[in-house]
Amino acid sequence: MKRFLAVLLALAMVFALAACGAPNNNAAPNGGNNNNAAPEKESKYGGTFVAAVATSPGCLFYPYQYASVSTYVYPAVETLRLRNPQTGKYEPNLCESWETDLENHTLTMKIRKGVKFHDGSDLNAEVVKWNFEKIMEYGNGSVIQSPTNIEVLDEYTLKVTFPNFDLNQESFTYSVLIYSKKAFEEHGLDWCINNCVGTGPFVLKENVPDSHLLFERFDNYWKKDAEGNQLPYLDAYKIQVIPDASAQMTAFSNNEIHRFPCSDMQISESMYKLGYKNKAQIGEANSAIVYGVYVNNTKEGDPWSNPLVRQALLLHGIDWKAVAFVAGGNTAFEIMTPLIETGDGYDASLMDASKYDVAKAKEMLKEAGYENGFKTKILKLDYGTKAATEIQSQLKTNFNIDAEIVNLVNGDDRRFDGVNEGIYLNYGYTTADFARHLRNMFSPTGTYKNVHKYSDEYVTMLQQMKDAKTIEEKCDLIKKLSYKLMVEECLFRQMYAVPNNIFIQDYVHESGLERSVDGITPETTWLDAAYRK
Amino acid sequence: MGKYIIKRILQMLVVVILVAVVTFFLTDMLPSDPVYLIGGDELTTEEYDYIYHQLGLDKPLAERFVIWARNALHGDFGRSYTYHKDVWELISARIPVTLYLSILSLIISVPLGVLFGMITALKRGTKTDSIITLLANVCSCLPQFWIGICLLVVFGLKLRLLPSVGFHWPGEVGIVQHIKELIMPLICLSLGGVASFTRQTRSSMLEVIRQDFVRTAHSKGIKERFVTFRHIMRNGLIPIITILGNRLAYMIGGSMFVENVFSIPGMGTLMVKSVSCSDIPTIQALVLLTTMVSCMAYLLTDILYVIVDPRISLTSDSKK
């Protein structure tokens, strides 16, 4: 028996030693040891960049299902234009120039010549037209403002006509991704949903659901750097799916991944303790998760159908700073709107309408006839537990309001059916395009159509915003609509924001325009030589 | 025996059909709306209607069940809402990974568990017995995901010896990297198994040790090693077979925690994702498949039990 045990132990040791081997030569540097200055004339080429994401992509074909697609395909597929996050201005990309005709509601785009897709086909006006038509065919026409006509003027010129003038014509070209028509015709929709053929710097080689997406360098990529060197610098780009936040942290610390966005407070704090710094640029679109409260005002006789009650509670009765701290931790802060400062129609004074003042709120409730409180519901998803409990406690303590917390699962249609009275807690991301929110969510045909009853005045203003002829007019209307929605009618307010933490290894270098929604430019990313595996 | 197997297979079919019906109707009762899950929250009415119709949700429930059952019988479990792939294609890509991990884990946990069980039974009442039994009791209580996170912190974060995430076949990354990737998930999957096999082996061997035939063997002066291996072990290990089937079924279902922590694209990850995304066709297929695997495992256990111990009969006829 002893001999058997000894052999077994020896085998186990050999196995463990062989497997563990030497520690990683590229031991993680201390995160605090910033080393952004690259050695002079060092070659930037080579290596594989690994970015972690928490979930696997559902679909890689933007025309079929646009939500979240860009998070996964940005190394391979590009947009017509770029948005400079610092200035908020649009810059050329696949579209070299563009012209807007205010009278005839048209947008004429000059498509860049000499750009090739990964399958060797050419990018031209016909291909862009086909992309737009596919988006409409799959019921997503609103993404491109539902054009009435798409006309190819010549090989590289495309004219799009819209039913009415909308300044969002300026913005959709920033988010719409352009795919190869040839690949779709050869392989069909099913293939395209799990693959992507674009003009980007990397070609998709592998898509293993719940594991990774592996992209390899595209040698015929059209962009060059400032010195005229061919882009991209990296050999490969990998998007690794790691659902568990602790595993993400460990993998980052172990140099297995180079970048991960983190919304888990505890993990972020652990990362700070390990010496790593948040490299997210606060104040940009998608840079923070925003949590909001949506009121159901459609129930006749329900306290929430009274605007005075809504204003009393949402603008003065709840200490949102406390809610932010309890639910979002140290880094969370109170906000009113998801719109970022460089976004069209941002209004800093909106915040002034909300001041925590219990006495004022009580007075308003008394005026509305609810000085003795009432019964209501707070509908929330799992992540909303802390915020819901804090709101419930404040409503009970300050106003004797009994709020029952109803837990919903993700995708529960009770969020939008308007059957339950009360308020609903949801989340989203900071945005540069609040007009889109207003159109798609807060309109009589939007997501909250069964939850919100909008005033005629609001609906009229919404239409005016859609028809706005100048950017100034549009911005002005966004401001007015925001005020109407969040203050006067008080159907929605953002509660608090939690900045996204993005951790990037110090030996990763970025330059040029930030072209993806997450602020990554895969073509100009490069790694220090010691870390190019 | 043949009759018994046929009877059990028929019972199995009833169980599978019942599970299929219950799963279909329960998943339909979920309050989640797959349309929003697929299209996101910012859907216009037209976009919503388009996806709703595409998913066939405009048909009555009974009609949808009939369509689903008919297709399932032909091996067509529908299309995943989340992955946009045929569910069977999705599952068949994951089965080898989960099965590989489960079998490796069994290969590790059975011999180790039996070995530790034997040691504790033969050294009953000693310090060795107390320590191993205590450890076995502790390990059988520890949740897999917790073990996983502890291992990540020690081997990944502190020692930086092992990769924290991922799974690749040896042909893709080489055998050394493959073994490195396996160590932590296998420890997680096997620890509970080792513990339960240790406890079961110990108790069943102790029961055999007290039997008359063992005492007789000792009194006849047969060598201790011979008595241990030929008499005690042979008879004491029979009950292990009963938990072997249970363990395999448990591993297929229980791998979800381990796979999720270590980002292994197996059945467990698929189960977690499909449940969290209300991917109804995938949930239905996975539940059905897990039920079938469990039923098969239990049937095999019963048959094996008879083979290794001819004293046990499974049919009333053989009793006569």
Side-chain angles (χ1 to χ4, degrees):
Chain A
M1 179 64 75
K2 278 181 185 166
R3 202 178 300 158
F4 178 67
L5 255 177
V7 171
L8 196 82
L9 274 173
L11 274 174
M13 281 174 72
V14 169
F15 176 75
L17 281 172
C20 294
N24 196 338
N25 290 332
N26 299 333
N30 187 317
N33 176 21
N34 205 326
N35 182 28
N36 273 333
E40 280 294 308
K41 291 191 179 173
E42 184 195 342
S43 166
K44 295 175 180 177
Y45 289 96
T48 300
F49 181 82
V50 188
V53 291
T55 54
S56 209
C59 172
L60 300 181
F61 192 49
Y62 187 91
Y64 184 72
Q65 194 188 101
Y66 57 88
S68 305
V69 168
S70 57
T71 308
Y72 302 98
V73 302
Y74 61 86
V77 191
E78 296 181 291
T79 53
L80 289 165
R81 292 195 288 172
L82 304 170
R83 185 179 179 277
N84 188 320
Q86 271 79 44
T87 61
K89 296 246 180 325
Y90 294 101
E91 298 186 14
N93 198 40
L94 294 180
C95 170
E96 266 183 331
S97 61
W98 54 91
E99 208 172 280
T100 307
D101 183 341
L102 301 178
E103 291 298 315
N104 299 308
H105 314 158
T106 61
L107 179 69
T108 306
M109 290 180 276
K110 274 272 179 210
I111 308 300
R112 189 178 295 277
K113 288 178 186 170
V115 177
K116 289 217 176 283
F117 284 98
H118 303 152
D119 57 5
S121 59
D122 288 318
L123 172 79
N124 53 38
E126 190 56 52
V127 172
V128 177
K129 181 187 176 196
W130 173 85
N131 272 270
F132 289 173
E133 284 170 347
K134 279 285 156 200
I135 289 171
M136 303 216 314
E137 186 186 327
Y138 296 124
N140 298 322
S142 64
V143 170
I144 53 167
Q145 312 302 318
S146 307
T148 49
N149 188 39
I150 305 167
E151 192 185 346
V152 174
L153 298 182
D154 63 49
E155 198 181 352
Y156 293 100
T157 313
L158 188 75
K159 188 164 97 176
V160 188
T161 310
F162 301 94
N164 43 35
F165 188 81
D166 188 332
L167 281 159
N168 279 292
Q169 287 153 16
E170 287 288 310
S171 65
F172 83 84
T173 47
Y174 154 67
S175 53
V176 170
L177 295 158
I178 302 299
Y179 291 78
S180 160
K181 181 184 175 189
K182 184 184 166 201
F184 185 90
E185 285 171 348
E186 280 178 3
H187 304 286
L189 176 65
D190 282 359
W191 186 88
C192 286
I193 282 174
N194 292 292
N195 292 276
C196 56
V197 179
T199 56
F202 296 93
V203 183
L204 178 66
K205 284 286 170 195
E206 267 180 24
N207 174 14
V208 183
D210 294 328
S211 175
H212 64 270
L213 290 109
L214 179 67
F215 300 87
E216 286 179 3
R217 177 208 298 272
F218 177 43
D219 291 327
N220 290 327
Y221 184 53
W222 60 276
K223 272 188 201 169
K224 290 188 166 54
D225 68 8
E227 286 101 44
N229 300 313
Q230 178 65 44
L231 292 173
Y233 298 124
L234 296 163
D235 287 336
Y237 201 98
K238 191 176 182 184
I239 297 179
Q240 178 75 47
V241 181
I242 309 177
D244 187 82
S246 315
Q248 287 184 346
M249 178 179 73
T250 312
F252 185 84
S253 172
N254 214 0
N255 275 343
E256 292 164 58
I257 57 172
H258 301 119
R259 176 192 188 278
F260 82 99
C262 182
S263 52
D264 185 304
M265 280 187 299
Q266 286 175 327
I267 296 294
S268 296
E269 274 163 26
S270 300
M271 288 294 290
Y272 299 148
K273 280 180 193 161
L274 286 169
Y276 294 108
K277 286 176 185 153
N278 177 19
K279 295 191 179 174
Q281 303 202 19
I282 307 294
E284 290 176 8
N286 299 299
S287 64
I289 303 177
V290 288
Y291 295 84
V293 54
Y294 304 73
V295 183
N296 183 354
N297 70 327
T298 59
K299 301 269 170 211
E300 285 297 327
D302 183 71
W304 291 107
S305 66
N306 186 334
L308 211 53
V309 173
R310 301 197 293 269
Q311 286 171 338
L313 296 174
L314 299 192
L315 299 179
H316 309 293
I318 294 169
D319 182 358
W320 294 109
K321 281 192 179 70
V323 175
F325 178 74
V326 169
N330 286 328
T331 54
F333 54 92
E334 180 194 355
I335 52 164
M336 273 288 275
T337 169
L339 186 60
I340 58 169
E341 284 185 30
T342 54
D344 292 342
Y346 176 77
D347 182 6
S349 66
L350 200 62
M351 199 66 205
D352 299 339
S354 176
K355 284 270 184 297
Y356 180 53
D357 185 344
V358 177
K360 186 175 179 181
K362 278 183 175 167
E363 220 169 88
M364 290 168 84
L365 281 175
K366 191 176 177 186
E367 195 183 328
Y370 294 102
E371 70 267 40
N372 297 321
F374 55 86
K375 284 188 177 175
T376 189
K377 285 177 183 165
I378 302 173
L379 284 79
K380 57 96 190 164
L381 290 149
D382 276 345
Y383 57 77
T385 306
K386 286 182 185 171
T389 312
E390 177 61 24
I391 295 169
Q392 182 191 45
S393 151
Q394 290 194 30
L395 289 178
K396 181 70 187 167
T397 313
N398 295 336
F399 311 105
N400 196 30
I401 294 171
D402 286 318
E404 177 198 349
I405 295 176
V406 182
N407 195 34
L408 308 175
V409 294
N410 196 20
D412 192 332
D413 54 6
R414 280 181 291 170
R415 294 184 297 172
F416 310 125
D417 65 8
V419 172
N420 283 280
E421 72 278 10
I423 55 174
Y424 165 59
L425 311 184
N426 200 3
Y427 81 102
Y429 296 91
T430 45
T431 181
D433 184 8
F434 193 58
R436 183 184 156 81
H437 279 49
L438 291 167
R439 276 195 331 267
N440 288 3
M441 293 165 80
F442 307 115
S443 75
T445 56
T447 313
Y448 290 95
K449 61 180 183 292
N450 297 322
V451 177
H452 291 164
K453 197 159 79 183
Y454 304 101
S455 66
D456 293 342
E457 198 186 341
Y458 176 87
V459 176
T460 309
M461 280 164 66
L462 196 64
Q463 191 54 50
Q464 284 170 347
M465 183 200 73
K466 287 180 188 172
D467 299 338
K469 294 284 188 288
T470 62
I471 191 78
E472 290 75 22
E473 193 187 344
K474 182 187 163 192
C475 287
D476 184 49
L477 280 157
I478 291 174
K479 282 182 190 174
K480 283 178 180 165
L481 277 163
S482 301
Y483 191 82
K484 193 110 186 103
L485 178 75
M486 298 175 210
V487 180
E488 274 183 30
E489 299 191 12
C490 207
L491 296 173
F492 157 78
R493 78 156 282 161
Q494 217 70 72
M495 300 187 288
Y496 62 96
V498 180
N500 259 341
N501 282 287
I502 296 178
F503 296 101
I504 305 172
Q505 303 282 12
D506 289 327
Y507 52 83
V508 172
H509 304 274
E510 257 277 340
S511 58
L513 279 167
E514 297 185 344
R515 77 165 170 81
S516 86
V517 286
D518 288 334
I520 309 171
T521 318
E523 58 268 31
T524 52
T525 299
W526 58 282
L527 307 171
D528 281 351
Y531 297 93
R532 290 176 203 157
K533 283 189 242 175
Chain B
M1 182 74 162
K3 270 186 188 172
Y4 174 77
I5 293 172
I6 292 168
K7 192 177 151 191
R8 281 297 305 270
I9 289 172
L10 287 174
Q11 281 175 352
M12 214 174 91
L13 279 176
V14 173
V15 171
V16 170
I17 291 167
L18 274 175
V19 169
V21 174
V22 171
T23 310
F24 189 89
F25 287 99
L26 277 180
T27 46
D28 190 76
M29 282 163 68
L30 284 175
S32 57
D33 187 339
V35 178
Y36 286 117
L37 291 167
I38 290 171
D41 287 354
E42 293 178 40
L43 282 179
T44 60
T45 314
E46 296 77 38
E47 288 163 2
Y48 182 94
D49 291 343
Y50 179 83
I51 300 174
Y52 191 79
H53 179 71
Q54 265 214 327
L55 296 176
L57 296 171
D58 47 352
K59 294 189 176 80
L61 183 62
E63 191 184 335
R64 274 190 281 141
F65 177 72
V66 172
I67 295 170
W68 176 80
R70 193 178 55 211
N71 292 339
L73 279 175
H74 290 90
D76 176 8
F77 291 96
R79 212 172 148 72
S80 160
Y81 294 165
T82 317
Y83 296 89
H84 301 279
K85 279 186 173 176
D86 282 344
V87 171
W88 180 246
E89 187 193 334
L90 210 57
I91 292 176
S92 57
R94 314 292 185 108
I95 289 174
V97 179
T98 302
L99 219 55
Y100 177 65
L101 285 173
S102 302
I103 290 170
L104 274 184
S105 167
L106 270 185
I107 290 172
I108 292 168
S109 53
V110 173
L112 278 179
V114 169
L115 179 72
F116 290 134
M118 279 167 60
I119 293 170
T120 51
L122 295 173
K123 294 185 178 287
R124 190 182 171 220
T126 63
K127 268 186 189 169
T128 316
D129 173 33
S130 306
I131 292 168
I132 295 177
T133 309
L134 180 75
L135 284 175
N137 286 335
V138 170
C139 288
S140 61
C141 301
L142 295 176
Q144 281 178 344
F145 71 89
W146 186 81
I147 301 172
I149 290 170
C150 288
L151 289 172
L152 272 177
V153 170
V154 175
F155 291 106
L157 198 63
K158 299 285 177 198
L159 300 174
R160 289 177 181 157
L161 286 175
L162 299 170
S164 325
V165 291
F167 174 87
H168 299 88
W169 294 104
E172 295 169 341
V173 289
I175 189 74
V176 174
Q177 180 65 20
H178 175 67
I179 292 171
K180 279 184 180 182
E181 287 179 349
L182 281 181
I183 290 176
M184 288 199 277
L186 277 183
I187 293 175
C188 276
L189 280 172
S190 309
L191 218 54
V194 173
S196 65
F197 282 116
T198 302
R199 283 151 49 104
Q200 181 64 45
T201 308
R202 182 180 185 272
S203 65
S204 57
M205 280 190 69
L206 282 176
E207 211 176 300
V208 176
I209 285 171
R210 294 191 200 103
Q211 298 283 321
D212 289 344
F213 70 90
V214 175
R215 204 174 304 126
T216 310
H218 281 304
S219 60
K220 281 161 85 178
I222 299 173
K223 280 186 180 173
E224 183 62 39
R225 190 176 296 173
F226 191 82
V227 176
T228 305
F229 285 97
R230 284 300 287 271
H231 296 292
I232 303 174
M233 242 182 88
R234 261 195 175 181
N235 292 288
L237 294 188
I238 290 171
I240 299 300
I241 291 165
T242 55
I243 57 167
L244 210 63
N246 282 346
R247 196 70 212 163
L248 187 68
Y250 169 79
M251 272 179 186
I252 305 271
S255 61
M256 64 181 76
F257 302 111
V258 175
E259 286 180 4
N260 215 43
V261 169
F262 296 105
S263 307
I264 297 170
M267 300 254 290
T269 324
L270 187 62
M271 180 70 96
V272 171
K273 178 127 188 233
S274 56
V275 169
S276 65
C277 296
S278 296
D279 187 353
I280 292 167
T282 314
I283 298 173
Q284 288 163 343
L286 281 171
V287 172
L288 204 63
L289 197 76
T290 314
T291 311
M292 284 163 79
V293 170
S294 302
C295 288
M296 288 293 288
Y298 290 129
L299 179 65
L300 283 175
T301 307
D302 284 356
I303 296 168
L304 264 177
Y305 212 60
V306 178
I307 292 170
V308 295
D309 190 355
R311 292 171 303 172
I312 298 165
S313 62
L314 296 171
T315 58
S316 51
D317 294 348
S318 50
K319 270 181 192 168
K320 291 168 192 172

